[in-house]
Amino acid sequence: MQLSSEYVVALPRADFPIPGPALPEVAFAGRSNVGKSSLLNLLTGRRALARVSATPGKTRALNVFNWGNKVYLVDVPGYGWAKTAKTERAAWQALIHRYVREREALAGVAWLLDMRRDPTPDDVSFGRLLAEARRPVLPVLTKADYISRQKREARLAEISDALHLPAGMFVLTSARSKEGQETLREAVLALAG
Ligand code: GTP
Ligand code: MG
């Protein structure tokens, strides 16, 4: 299934409207460098969709893409970047907390986790925010191509245990091998309702 996709707007605030048709929003969030832009490109089948729109450096806005006139994909600035200044971290927190807690059109959150890494305290607190806000969550493991077939089950168990989520919820993906592309598409559309 190939849907058209286009960049729409960058929202500097969590309560700004999106210009265009009223569609459900699915947010993509995770640690900085987790592979978010690559995953959006895998999802939409566009090689540089997420990069063309993103401001180089530290984007602190919500980048919105219209995917097939079915859903707005919302690229959330990554968290957990050690060098981020305190003031910027506070700005990120305010933007994201407000967006996750209060955004009416938000249908769910695709939560990206690097399959090679153990969840960090930042991951755990983001998970807590999602749970408190009672948002439907789609946990997505990125960079699965780095993990051999024999080690996958154990890795998945470790990560899902650490986050207190059932292993069966996770979608395994690789932007490099395109593994999980169709499963991801179906799951995102299901999240959008
Ligand atoms: P920021 O926006 O800078 O926080 O990063 P991001 O989360 O958007 O990650 P991005 O897609 O830019 O990818 C970060 C790095 O990981 C790049 O060097 C990618 O090529 C690499 N990468 C992303 N996805 C995969 C994957 O599935 N497999 C492999 N092997 N590398 C990946
Ligand atoms: Mg990115």
Side-chain angles (χ1 to χ4, degrees), residues 31-38 143 145-146 173-176:
R31 293 188 75 199
S32 185
N33 205 44
V34 70
K36 206 150 44 74
S37 299
S38 305
K143 312 191 186 187
D145 55 282
Y146 280 117
T173 65
S174 164
R176 184 169 289 175

Side-chain angles (χ1 to χ4, degrees), residues 122-166:
D122 281 322
D123 287 320
V124 172
S125 61
F126 188 70
R128 204 174 299 132
L129 170 67
L130 295 176
E132 279 167 10
R134 297 176 189 272
R135 293 297 187 182
V137 179
L138 174 68
V140 177
L141 298 184
T142 63
K143 312 191 186 187
D145 55 282
Y146 280 117
I147 313 292
S148 67
R149 298 270 160 190
Q150 310 90 277
K151 291 189 177 146
R152 287 187 171 199
E153 211 172 315
R155 249 350 260 148
L156 176 58
E158 281 162 6
I159 295 170
S160 59
D161 283 355
L163 299 173
H164 307 292
L165 291 170

